[in-house]
Amino acid sequence: MNRFDYVRPNTIAEAVAAAAEPGAAYLAGGTNLLDLMKGAIAHPTRLVDVSRLPGLDGIARLADGSWRIGALVRNADLAHDPAFAKTFPAIAEALLSGASGQLRNAATVGGNLMQRTRCSYFYDTASACNKRVPGSGCDARDGDNRLHAILGWSDGCIATHASDFCVPLTAFDAVAEIEGKTGRREVAVDALHPLPGTTPERDSVLAPGELITAVRLPPAASVFARHARYLKVRERTSYAFALVSAAAGLVIEGGTIKEARLALGGVAAKPWRARSAEEMLAGVRLEQAAFARAAQAALADAKPSGDNAFKIALAERVLVRALTLAAAGTPVRVPALPASPFSSPAGVALHA
Ligand code: SF4
């Protein structure tokens, strides 16, 4: 039996102080951490239960047009908030494509950002894994690695980041608000998860004891509402992590793309913003050839980390399809199979 302390602070300051101790971990929805503890992969000596901290469960539109989502908002509650889903349809679609209904009811916004990889060797304590035990090796390199990274990987780790939610957050320049011992700071979601390099055990740039308290979307993120989609290809239609996913947002004027946002999921240790592709799309006419050129640019640096060369071609196709769906228009309702490639490409403009 692994013994650990359990504390339930009443304020953010108390939580940060309690979690500053080495070996402490925050507990919110528990949908990842409790599995890690039961599997003997994580051994926190202190659980700091932040699930009842006041003031972190709101969804608010701020005076400057940005949106703040408290870190304790449940994934399902955010996806089904009508005003939020209308403003950020690709984010709602990404949330509803993740996990299962039960998990979405429990999982929190902050926890989603902090979830750990789903590499099967990471979850198998009989396997060598540099992320779990630094310096032990990486059994995925010569193992079952068809789901692993094609961008930004290192010899030390080829795992991918599992979140759907983080993909459109990265595309639309979301920022994480963080409280720590030295006060408050902000980190772009795009910069929250470092690439593995020689320190794959490091999943985020958070310092010990730092707590994500909210995610904020800037005013400019809402201009994509009429043409924003999330597309996810996986090995079964629900309750599976992405082989490859993509978030796409377009601003279209008179048949020309004024602005584009693109990010990929399932391809790297972090959500992968495709800035070069965005730049190629700005100012060009809406056409499949432009989408194909942009997708090739987005994957220009991709290389297989094992038996996963197919993911490079797949990612290009997913990007083209996501752009095609976004160009057709955001559907009035999230499709019955959110983010599914089987949903109709013909959208209906959300804001006529
Ligand atoms: Fe561990 Fe990363 Fe290798 Fe998976 S890919 S076994 S998480 S080091």
Side-chain angles (χ1 to χ4, degrees), residues 39-337:
I41 296 136
H43 309 91
T45 53
R46 168 179 280 189
L47 280 189
V48 181
D49 184 349
V50 294
S51 64
R52 299 183 202 189
L53 279 182
L56 299 186
D57 60 353
I59 303 167
R61 183 166 191 180
L62 307 182
D64 67 353
S66 60
W67 287 66
R68 178 184 284 127
I69 307 137
L72 292 179
V73 172
R74 307 286 164 170
N75 285 191
D77 291 338
L78 183 59
H80 291 296
D81 182 278
F84 180 84
K86 187 171 182 180
T87 310
F88 304 108
I91 300 178
E93 194 167 16
L95 283 165
L96 292 174
S97 76
S100 67
Q102 286 169 311
L103 286 165
R104 293 193 293 270
N105 286 340
T108 64
V109 160
N112 193 304
L113 269 59
M114 296 303 292
Q115 67 180 290
R116 307 209 68 188
T117 184
R118 263 54 182 196
C119 171
S120 57
Y121 299 98
F122 175 72
Y123 286 80
D124 174 13
T125 55
S127 297
C129 172
N130 287 323
K131 187 179 280 296
R132 181 167 29 77
V133 181
S136 63
C138 171
D139 275 354
R141 290 306 309 274
D142 295 315
D144 182 359
N145 49 29
R146 59 190 299 279
L147 305 182
H148 285 70
I150 53 172
L151 285 161
W153 54 273
S154 73
D155 287 339
C157 181
I158 59 174
T160 58
H161 193 261
S163 170
D164 294 297
F165 179 44
C166 287
V167 180
L169 288 184
T170 296
F172 299 124
D173 293 316
V175 167
E177 297 181 3
I178 296 162
E179 294 278 352
K181 275 189 299 187
T182 55
R184 185 177 167 212
R185 68 181 179 120
E186 297 182 349
V187 175
V189 172
D190 190 27
L192 195 60
H193 308 98
L195 292 175
T198 56
T199 54
E201 69 278 11
R202 197 160 171 254
D203 277 354
S204 82
V205 298
L206 264 57
E210 283 194 318
L211 175 68
I212 294 175
T213 55
V215 169
R216 213 176 59 247
L217 283 150
S222 60
V223 303
F224 301 95
R226 295 180 64 172
H227 296 279
R229 295 300 301 268
Y230 184 69
L231 181 64
K232 177 178 179 180
V233 174
R234 42 195 152 169
E235 293 198 317
R236 56 176 184 256
T237 307
S238 71
Y239 198 28
F241 296 100
L243 266 172
V244 175
S245 66
L250 298 172
V251 176
I252 301 169
E253 284 182 4
T256 296
I257 299 170
K258 193 176 164 209
E259 229 181 315
R261 293 285 184 277
L262 279 178
L264 283 158
V267 296
K270 59 180 289 179
W272 195 268
R273 180 84 177 259
R275 291 182 193 275
S276 57
E278 292 174 3
E279 287 163 15
M280 285 180 72
L281 287 167
V284 306
R285 299 289 299 171
L286 265 185
E287 55 181 20
Q288 289 286 307
F291 296 165
R293 284 194 299 272
Q296 283 170 6
L299 276 300
D301 295 330
K303 57 179 182 174
S305 59
D307 299 326
N308 57 2
F310 76 98
K311 283 181 69 168
I312 300 173
L314 178 62
E316 288 186 15
R317 290 174 189 160
V318 167
L319 272 179
V320 170
R321 175 81 167 174
L323 285 164
T324 304
L325 289 167
T330 304
V332 172
R333 296 172 188 272
V334 174
L337 291 173

